[in-house]
Amino acid sequence: MTYPVKKIVIAGGGTAGWMAAALLGKTLGKRYEIVLVESDEIPTVGVGEATIPPLQTFHKMLDVPEREFMSAVNATFKLGISFENWKELGHRYIHSFGYAGKDCWACQFVHFWLAAKRRGINFPYSDYCAELLAAEESKFAVLSKAPMNYAYHLDAGLYAKYLRKISEAAGVIRVEGKINTVSLNHDSGFIDSLVLESEQRVSGDFFIDCTGFRGLLIDGALNVGFEDWSHWLPCDSALAVQTQMHEAPVPYTRSIAHKAGWQWRIPLQTRVGNGLVYSSKFWNDGEAEATLMDNLSGDAINAAKIIRFRTGTRRKHWHKNCLALGLSSGFLEPLESTSIHLIQKSLVRLVQLLSVDGINLSSEKEFNQQTKVDVERIRDFIILHYKVTDRSDSEFWRYCQNMEIPPALEQKINLFRANGTVFKVDNELFGEESWVQVMMGQGIIPSSYHPAADLLSDQEMTDFMAAIRSSMHRKVQGLPSHGDFLNHYCRYGNS
Ligand SMILES: Cc1cc2nc3c(=O)[nH]c(=O)nc-3n(C[C@H](O)[C@H](O)[C@H](O)COP(=O)(O)OP(=O)(O)OC[C@H]3O[C@@H](n4cnc5c(N)ncnc54)[C@H](O)[C@@H]3O)c2cc1C
């Protein structure tokens, strides 16, 4: 069955709603009537400020000039995430967006690093990766030759405003009002309109649910069900607070593990976003809040806001004529900043599945299959951080160490532990290099490596490794500090 689509209605105007409006408006605004409904009375979740590199592609699709965008949304650059106290108390590693060394077709660079280590060439892995080094030295520049792989930290509220401007310029109509009822067609069960508190009726052919955790359309009206993953991802609460800036912003997110969760620090140009993600089963709110407030690095600008969530996913992200986007589609938890990326990925997939005659049911099926794989692979990558740890200093960490994990993740860990090999499967978001950096960072050192790495003589190995180290160090030495670069490239408010 194919149903015609002339009008698309987006319910909700947080990051998800405005990303949808901007992309659909910019690419297909001439073809579809696009309406976004949001209520000023219902605040957005107000967090979601760390991103990953594919956001650059999203901005290219929107023709967003980087400098203008960054100064409009108070953005800084992000080269990765610093994981502190995750393997054990006092330990730190960075999961960067960079690629270390040089691979060969038979094996990745990590095999050469392991082989070199066995021969006494004992330099940290970070010496072989420009993004890791630059993050550690707090340096950054946008390079035209051999650019670094980077993402952004941004102000979520300003980002929604920025995207709204793009959307409205592309013809998207914003309707202000609180959605009271989602009206379904009696025969098909499809959504036919949203009825607002003012009694205004917003009808449409296709609906995108961006109403956040409420999931007013996908859950409230269509009731697709939820797959709960809290046994693997036990955090269910967050406290968020902003602080004043008191030092130059670092080009990475900080993730600092505590007794039953972890704290984030996201530096923008003029303030810092902070928060604590924790499990209410293992930590009470009062204790969690005290820990967060004791570990802030600047004066708080606002009171800590509590957010409850359930980790897991909707059983279907697309059902009938409704697509769930953002928090309405489920939530894994923000450890690897993947939520905004999933919004982008789903939007691009939706656009690719459209046809001139409308939407076919096979599109819905394809979308759900592909999205399920995306989400499950990301889920496994996040579980890895909790599972592989030497920490047993609290009930929470003992639970994580001992929990059963999905078989695909178990296999990935076992293979890497045995011989240092990782495969990127199912076109998953995180590539081999990310898995290597996090597995080694969390404490897995493979017991073996590929024979190809032993084909080099001692001298060849010494020269090969030294050449990579010196080229990475040279590259990073020539960079300005991240703070200086931001000041001249995209100072907040200059746009
Ligand atoms: C603690 C935490 C930290 C996070 N950190 C990150 C991160 O670092 N990186 C990342 O990628 N993601 C992160 N996320 C996820 C990210 O915040 C979200 O994916 C993103 O903000 C999108 O949210 P949303 O637009 O789906 O929902 P919301 O921001 O909640 O927006 C919902 C919208 O729906 C509207 N609405 C709701 N009900 C009605 C109604 N009845 N009538 C009319 N309008 C209505 C609201 O007004 C609002 O406009 C984090 C999430 C949490 C909880």
Side-chain angles (χ1 to χ4, degrees), residues 11-17 37-40 42-51 177-180 210-214 216 238 264 266 277 307 309 325-328 331 334 337-341 343:
T15 304
V37 184
E38 71 174 324
S39 166
D40 288 337
I42 304 176
T44 62
V45 70
V47 283
E49 308 202 318
T51 67
K178 204 163 164 184
I179 302 161
N180 223 354
C210 301
T211 60
F213 288 126
R214 291 171 188 83
L216 279 184
W264 77 78
I266 299 179
V277 173
I307 302 166
F309 56 84
L325 204 62
L327 297 172
S328 73
F331 187 49
S337 326
T338 44
S339 230
I340 294 173
H341 172 75
I343 297 171

Side-chain angles (χ1 to χ4, degrees), residues 18 77 99 162 198 352 436 439 462-463:
W18 286 114
F77 291 98
Y99 298 87
Y162 185 79
S198 62
Q352 289 171 340
V436 167
M439 287 206 264
T462 303
D463 294 347

